[in-house]
Amino acid sequence: MTGGKTYLKVNGGKALQGEVKISGSKNSILALIPAMCLGEGEGVLTHITDISDIEAMQGILKEIGIQMVCENSTVVIRGDMYSSVLSKQYVSKIRASNLFLGVLLAKFGKATVPISGGDKIGNRPIDIHLYVFNKFGIRTEIVDGYVKCEATRFPYKGQKIFLRFPSVGATENAMLVASAADSETVIYNAAMEPEIVDMAILLNSMGAKITGAGTPVIHIKPTAEKLNRTVHEVIPDRLEAGTFLFMIAATKGSGIIKNVIPEHVMSVITILADSGAQIKAEDSNIFIDASNCSLESINVEALPFPGFPTDLQPFAAVYALNCKGKSSIKDTIFPVRFNHLFEMGRMGMAYESVHSQVTIKGVQKLTGTTMAGTDIRMCAALVMAALIAEGESKIYGLEHILRGYDNFFQKLLALGADIAVIEDENDGITTKTKCI
């Protein structure tokens, strides 16, 4: 269904050239805001991304008694939590809302939170989260779409927890819950993503005692003092950086990605370099030039960090269209992310698919058409495909891009992309979001 909605008009075939300044990490921000709620006093997060998910987070905080003001890329958090229950009004909009289970349990020893929403990228069970809570002696049940948790003893004892999969969300919830335990907690097979490290740095600056973040084993020791909110700068968004690196390379363009931590996107840098693109990192900048390069096939498998991110798998698949030979893209984490390929089939894209792996033979010519995205990365990948296609494309589902990218369309325009947001007055989507 695309009728009557705002869409992005893209005229393809133009190489992207110029500079992109990367915004604060979406995934980190949406974890740091709940973590900040555990403290007292005033807290400030800087380098905040202007995305619509921030609005939903603001609504959640208001329900539990926390005031959140966002202005000029800064979020200020004040107030004390007074409620352990959340409604479905805002929780249903973002996946990160499940972190309030850990926050409320650490504060009250109980929590009632609706099952979270977010991107439609397949089954995203919370069983690992519930396993973590159960290890702390917390009873859990799911009733009428709500996750209800209550500690049998509060404060609870620290635990040794082995995660069957290094889930980012489960690791974050384990850290939050462990911050209120009366003895040490150790998390084994913990997620190692940069966002985990960012949360640990914030919590430590608030008074927590966390070591090992960024490794498979995290230790959280109890602290006798209450946590105090502080000032913290959010890390750059590695997924946004990866998105623009792939887009510039795929269009045979050149540019500079600024305000990035190169180590966070080393998997992307390696894939692009191995395929023939000229790329180098210097300090907080990455220089990419594919303007005179003959691109070779790529082999990509989505893995937990420091492996290649599942979020960037759709962009690797589009990039493979301009690479000679057969490229292989595998994603066993979220295989449904291959949904973008069905839409790009409208452009003439050909590929072979077996279970969680696709094979793409390049070089392929795409023809502009009308497509619709159903999640953040899928929609952005469709834009990327339209940029390398011949003729005009229309991309619907822009509300998803607004959830995950700050000034996405403006940044593409600055790179020379021939795009325009065509707005329907009845649709209510704008290219700029504001805090409610």
Side-chain angles (χ1 to χ4, degrees), residues 399-429:
E399 67 275 12
H400 299 292
I401 289 180
L402 299 180
R403 286 190 50 234
Y405 290 95
D406 182 12
N407 292 318
F408 183 73
F409 308 119
Q410 292 88 337
K411 289 177 180 179
L412 280 177
L413 285 169
L415 289 172
D418 188 354
I419 63 172
V421 176
I422 310 300
E423 299 190 46
D424 186 326
E425 294 181 357
N426 297 320
D427 186 50
I429 297 175

Coordinates of all heavy atoms in Angstrom, one line a residue, residues 399-429:
E399 N 8.8 7.1 7.3 CA 8.7 7.2 8.7 C 9.7 6.3 9.4 O 10.2 6.6 10.5 CB 7.3 6.9 9.2 CG 6.8 5.5 9.0 CD 6.2 5.2 7.7 OE1 6.4 6.0 6.8 OE2 5.6 4.1 7.5
H400 N 10.1 5.2 8.8 CA 11.1 4.3 9.3 C 12.5 5.0 9.3 O 13.2 4.8 10.3 CB 11.1 3.0 8.5 CG 9.8 2.3 8.6 ND1 9.3 1.7 9.7 CD2 8.9 2.0 7.6 CE1 8.1 1.1 9.4 NE2 7.9 1.3 8.2
I401 N 12.8 5.7 8.3 CA 14.1 6.3 8.2 C 14.2 7.4 9.3 O 15.2 7.6 9.9 CB 14.3 7.0 6.8 CG1 14.6 5.9 5.8 CG2 15.5 8.0 6.8 CD1 14.8 6.4 4.4
L402 N 13.1 8.1 9.6 CA 13.1 9.1 10.6 C 13.3 8.5 12.0 O 13.7 9.2 12.9 CB 11.7 9.9 10.6 CG 11.4 10.6 9.2 CD1 10.1 11.4 9.4 CD2 12.5 11.6 8.9
R403 N 13.0 7.3 12.1 CA 13.2 6.6 13.4 C 14.7 6.4 13.7 O 15.1 6.3 14.9 CB 12.5 5.2 13.5 CG 11.0 5.3 13.6 CD 10.4 3.9 13.9 NE 11.1 3.3 15.0 CZ 11.7 2.1 15.0 NH1 11.6 1.4 13.9 NH2 12.3 1.6 16.0
G404 N 15.5 6.2 12.6 CA 16.9 5.8 12.9 C 18.0 6.7 12.3 O 19.1 6.4 12.7
Y405 N 17.7 7.6 11.5 CA 18.7 8.5 10.9 C 18.4 9.9 11.1 O 17.3 10.4 10.9 CB 18.8 8.2 9.4 CG 19.4 6.9 9.0 CD1 18.5 5.8 8.7 CD2 20.8 6.7 8.9 CE1 19.1 4.6 8.4 CE2 21.3 5.4 8.6 CZ 20.4 4.4 8.3 OH 21.0 3.2 8.0
D406 N 19.4 10.7 11.5 CA 19.3 12.1 11.7 C 19.6 12.9 10.5 O 20.7 12.7 9.9 CB 20.3 12.5 12.9 CG 20.2 14.0 13.2 OD1 19.3 14.7 12.8 OD2 21.1 14.4 14.0
N407 N 18.7 13.7 10.0 CA 18.9 14.5 8.8 C 19.4 13.7 7.6 O 20.2 14.1 6.8 CB 19.9 15.6 9.1 CG 19.4 16.7 10.1 OD1 18.2 17.1 10.0 ND2 20.2 17.1 11.0
F408 N 18.8 12.5 7.4 CA 19.2 11.6 6.4 C 19.1 12.2 5.0 O 20.0 12.1 4.2 CB 18.4 10.3 6.5 CG 18.8 9.2 5.5 CD1 19.9 8.5 5.7 CD2 18.0 9.0 4.4 CE1 20.3 7.5 4.8 CE2 18.3 7.9 3.5 CZ 19.5 7.2 3.7
F409 N 18.0 12.8 4.7 CA 17.7 13.4 3.4 C 18.6 14.6 3.1 O 19.2 14.7 2.0 CB 16.3 13.7 3.2 CG 15.3 12.6 3.6 CD1 14.4 12.8 4.6 CD2 15.4 11.4 2.9 CE1 13.6 11.7 4.9 CE2 14.5 10.4 3.2 CZ 13.6 10.5 4.3
Q410 N 18.8 15.4 4.2 CA 19.7 16.6 4.0 C 21.1 16.2 3.8 O 21.8 16.8 3.0 CB 19.6 17.4 5.3 CG 18.2 18.1 5.5 CD 17.3 17.3 6.2 OE1 17.4 16.0 6.3 NE2 16.3 17.9 6.9
K411 N 21.6 15.1 4.4 CA 22.9 14.6 4.2 C 23.1 14.1 2.8 O 24.2 14.3 2.2 CB 23.3 13.6 5.3 CG 23.4 14.1 6.7 CD 23.7 13.1 7.7 CE 23.9 13.7 9.1 NZ 24.1 12.7 10.2
L412 N 22.1 13.4 2.3 CA 22.2 12.9 0.9 C 22.2 14.0 -0.1 O 23.0 14.0 -1.1 CB 21.0 12.0 0.6 CG 21.1 10.5 1.1 CD1 19.8 9.8 0.8 CD2 22.3 9.8 0.5
L413 N 21.4 15.1 0.2 CA 21.4 16.2 -0.7 C 22.8 16.9 -0.7 O 23.3 17.3 -1.8 CB 20.4 17.2 -0.3 CG 18.9 16.9 -0.6 CD1 17.9 17.8 0.1 CD2 18.6 16.9 -2.1
A414 N 23.4 17.0 0.5 CA 24.7 17.6 0.5 C 25.8 16.8 -0.2 O 26.8 17.3 -0.7 CB 25.2 17.7 2.0
L415 N 25.5 15.5 -0.4 CA 26.4 14.6 -1.2 C 26.2 14.7 -2.7 O 26.8 14.0 -3.5 CB 26.3 13.2 -0.7 CG 27.0 12.9 0.7 CD1 26.6 11.5 1.1 CD2 28.5 13.1 0.7
G416 N 25.1 15.4 -3.0 CA 24.8 15.6 -4.5 C 23.7 14.7 -5.0 O 23.5 14.6 -6.2
A417 N 23.1 14.0 -4.1 CA 22.0 13.1 -4.6 C 20.8 13.9 -5.1 O 20.5 14.9 -4.6 CB 21.5 12.2 -3.4
D418 N 20.2 13.3 -6.2 CA 19.1 14.0 -6.8 C 17.8 13.4 -6.2 O 17.2 12.4 -6.7 CB 19.1 13.8 -8.3 CG 18.0 14.6 -9.1 OD1 17.2 15.2 -8.4 OD2 18.0 14.5 -10.3
I419 N 17.4 14.0 -5.1 CA 16.3 13.4 -4.3 C 15.4 14.6 -3.9 O 15.8 15.7 -3.8 CB 16.7 12.7 -3.1 CG1 17.4 13.6 -2.1 CG2 17.6 11.5 -3.4 CD1 17.7 12.9 -0.7
A420 N 14.1 14.2 -3.6 CA 13.2 15.2 -3.1 C 12.1 14.5 -2.3 O 11.6 13.4 -2.7 CB 12.5 16.0 -4.2
V421 N 11.8 15.0 -1.1 CA 10.7 14.5 -0.3 C 9.4 15.1 -0.8 O 9.2 16.3 -0.7 CB 10.9 14.7 1.2 CG1 9.7 14.2 2.0 CG2 12.2 14.1 1.7
I422 N 8.5 14.3 -1.3 CA 7.2 14.7 -1.8 C 6.2 14.5 -0.7 O 5.9 13.3 -0.4 CB 6.8 14.0 -3.1 CG1 8.0 14.1 -4.1 CG2 5.5 14.7 -3.7 CD1 8.4 15.5 -4.5
E423 N 5.7 15.6 -0.1 CA 4.9 15.4 1.1 C 3.4 15.5 0.7 O 3.0 16.3 -0.1 CB 5.2 16.5 2.1 CG 6.7 16.4 2.6 CD 6.9 17.3 3.8 OE1 6.1 17.3 4.7 OE2 7.9 18.0 3.8
D424 N 2.6 14.7 1.4 CA 1.2 14.7 1.4 C 0.7 15.4 2.6 O 1.0 14.9 3.7 CB 0.6 13.2 1.3 CG -0.9 13.2 1.1 OD1 -1.5 14.1 1.6 OD2 -1.3 12.3 0.4
E425 N 0.0 16.4 2.5 CA -0.5 17.2 3.7 C -1.2 16.3 4.7 O -1.3 16.6 5.9 CB -1.3 18.4 3.3 CG -0.5 19.4 2.5 CD -1.3 20.6 2.1 OE1 -2.6 20.6 2.4 OE2 -0.8 21.6 1.6
N426 N -1.9 15.3 4.2 CA -2.7 14.4 5.0 C -1.9 13.3 5.7 O -2.4 12.6 6.5 CB -3.8 13.8 4.2 CG -4.8 14.9 3.7 OD1 -5.1 15.8 4.3 ND2 -5.2 14.7 2.4
D427 N -0.6 13.2 5.4 CA 0.2 12.1 5.9 C 0.8 12.3 7.2 O 0.9 11.5 8.0 CB 1.2 11.7 4.8 CG 2.0 10.5 5.2 OD1 1.3 9.5 5.6 OD2 3.2 10.5 5.3
G428 N 1.2 13.6 7.4 CA 1.8 13.9 8.7 C 3.3 13.6 8.9 O 3.9 13.8 9.9
I429 N 4.0 13.1 7.8 CA 5.4 12.9 7.9 C 6.2 14.1 7.5 O 5.8 14.7 6.5 CB 5.8 11.7 7.0 CG1 5.1 10.4 7.4 CG2 7.3 11.5 7.0 CD1 5.3 9.3 6.5

